[in-house]
Amino acid sequence: MEFRDLKKQYSTMKEEIDSAIKEVVECANFISGSHVYNLESKLSKYVGTKYCITCANGTDALILALKSWGVKEGDAVFVPDFTFFSSAECVSICGATPIFVDVERDTFNISVNHLEYMINQIIQGGRLTPKVIIAVDLFGQPANYSGIHLLAEKYKLLVLEDGAQGFGGRIDRKVACSFGDISTTSFFPAKPLGCYGDGGAIFTNNDYWAEKIRSLCIHGKGRDKYDNVCIGMNSRLDTIQAAVLQVKFKYFIKYELEQVNQVASWYKKYLNNCICIPNVKKNYFSSWAQYTIVCKSFDEREKIKNELLKKGIPTMTYYKKALHEQIAFQGKCIMDINYENADYLTQRVLSLPIHPYLLEEEVFEISKKINQITS
Ligand SMILES: *Cc1c(COP(=O)(O)O)cnc(C)c1O
């Protein structure tokens, strides 16, 4: 069994993907071009933002967003403590200071209460300027944006939505990657919408930021690539990746999103009460980048992981370490003395196989094994 079965996905859309790749190779236009612009216009239409700007990966997307806002040394950027490293790495790359915020135990997303507490800590500290809240749509479920935007308005902060795992999620009818002043996503192969290499995108309604990001992506270009008005990056989505994504996006919205939710509902049906299953809040819709259960203890987690592996069922531990524990951030961040929920989760979480092509009998088999171990 595969954790995320990309081979099975390919086999269902092989002809279209092969011909899309072939077309790019035959035209020998490997960077930018109509495939990239068509993809951007499809994605911005789907997300509901005025602009979509593709780039080389989801980490660059975050860096480009912060750079377009001029985030720099002396600025404080609030980041959930339980997420992938990139969500905070981008802050340090810009020279600013990441401020770690605890998460909610049931949704894994940033805790609005602890966020306000940390904002006040920084204001009272008087050393850093609070600038940005980075909210992550962890494992596919959007963060609590109504609460986040209230704080953003109260303290005059910008909101950056890290939707690397959230593409395809929703709150009511509002689609993920439309919740931030700027939002970003990743097309890394294992993300909800993945390409065949690295890729990323940035979404916004703001004309000035969009123009700034378009420039920063291509060496800070002015009128063209050889007229440079600021120090930028080289961060573009390959044309081949754009061609692959156009095919994959079609099936993503046609049935994959629905199907992966069906898989999650099978887990809910077959896993018994001995394990804590992920909670999707009312009116929230997840794109299920991961299906993460919370075990009773570290030992139970390790036992389930090992027993499943013996049966050929792969699992992953997203995440074993909270950001405040990462060596890279020691002395380069601001942390609270206590991250109760992040610490609780790093000891107990376990992500199970999930993808749109997982079968009901496979979910039943995985669930049965877990039920046996935990009861
Ligand atoms: C994957 C991921 C990123 C980075 O995306 P890349 O395309 O791998 O650079 C950023 N944030 C989160 C939450 C992610 O899961």
Side-chain angles (χ1 to χ4, degrees), residues 43-111:
L43 295 180
S44 63
K45 195 165 162 222
Y46 172 74
V47 167
T49 52
K50 192 166 173 189
Y51 300 101
C52 167
I53 302 148
T54 53
C55 65
N57 56 68
T59 308
D60 278 6
L62 291 164
I63 296 167
L64 287 157
L66 293 177
K67 281 189 182 293
S68 77
W69 287 335
V71 170
K72 58 178 190 311
E73 198 182 334
D75 292 339
V77 178
F78 301 87
V79 186
D81 189 42
F82 185 71
T83 176
F84 181 59
F85 188 68
S86 283
S87 306
E89 184 184 30
C90 60
V91 177
S92 300
I93 287 175
C94 292
T97 304
I99 317 296
F100 297 133
V101 179
D102 206 0
V103 294
E104 302 173 339
R105 210 181 267 194
D106 62 335
T107 65
F108 312 111
N109 281 330
I110 196 164
S111 155

Side-chain angles (χ1 to χ4, degrees), residues 56-62 82-90 134-139 162-166 184-189 191-192 197-201 289-290 319:
N57 56 68
T59 308
D60 278 6
L62 291 164
F82 185 71
T83 176
F84 181 59
F85 188 68
S86 283
S87 306
E89 184 184 30
C90 60
I134 299 184
V136 180
D137 303 333
L138 204 72
F139 305 149
D162 177 356
Q165 300 183 15
T184 63
T185 197
S186 163
F187 303 124
F188 182 81
K191 307 283 175 172
D198 277 311
Q290 303 296 340
Y319 295 93

Side-chain angles (χ1 to χ4, degrees), residues 232-373:
M233 298 165 68
N234 173 18
S235 188
R236 292 176 294 228
L237 184 73
D238 293 356
T239 313
I240 287 179
Q241 300 306 340
V244 169
L245 279 167
Q246 288 204 55
V247 178
K248 294 235 278 177
F249 179 60
K250 187 169 99 187
Y251 293 104
F252 182 76
I253 50 177
K254 195 165 171 193
Y255 66 80
E256 283 191 345
L257 252 182
E258 214 170 294
Q259 195 52 38
V260 79
N261 272 276
Q262 176 66 257
V263 172
S265 74
W266 289 330
Y267 271 124
K268 188 171 177 172
K269 179 168 151 198
Y270 294 127
L271 282 167
N272 70 22
N273 304 330
C274 292
I275 207 86
C276 181
I277 61 168
N279 174 36
V280 179
K281 294 197 289 192
K282 193 167 172 283
N283 299 328
Y284 280 59
F285 180 88
S286 177
S287 57
W288 297 106
Q290 303 296 340
Y291 191 90
T292 304
I293 57 172
V294 184
C295 306
K296 283 196 199 68
S297 64
F298 178 84
D299 290 344
E300 187 184 75
R301 197 251 314 270
E302 299 305 300
K303 189 171 161 203
I304 294 173
K305 188 161 79 182
N306 293 330
E307 293 293 316
L308 289 178
L309 194 60
K310 275 190 220 158
K311 309 283 181 197
I313 300 166
T315 59
M316 301 293 275
T317 307
Y318 296 128
Y319 295 93
K320 278 187 190 114
K321 264 190 183 182
L323 295 185
H324 77 270
E325 297 177 280
Q326 295 286 5
I327 289 170
F329 289 124
Q330 302 311 309
K332 300 186 179 78
C333 66
I334 288 192
M335 56 175 88
D336 201 357
I337 41 171
N338 183 0
Y339 288 93
E340 196 187 333
N341 291 338
D343 288 337
Y344 182 92
L345 292 171
T346 53
Q347 296 294 301
R348 292 170 181 80
V349 284
L350 187 65
S351 300
L352 306 178
I354 192 160
H355 55 81
Y357 304 89
L358 200 62
L359 304 173
E360 184 168 7
E361 57 252 42
E362 293 175 306
V363 176
F364 180 74
E365 188 194 318
I366 299 165
S367 303
K368 199 173 82 183
K369 298 262 151 52
I370 295 172
N371 291 340
Q372 281 166 0
I373 300 162

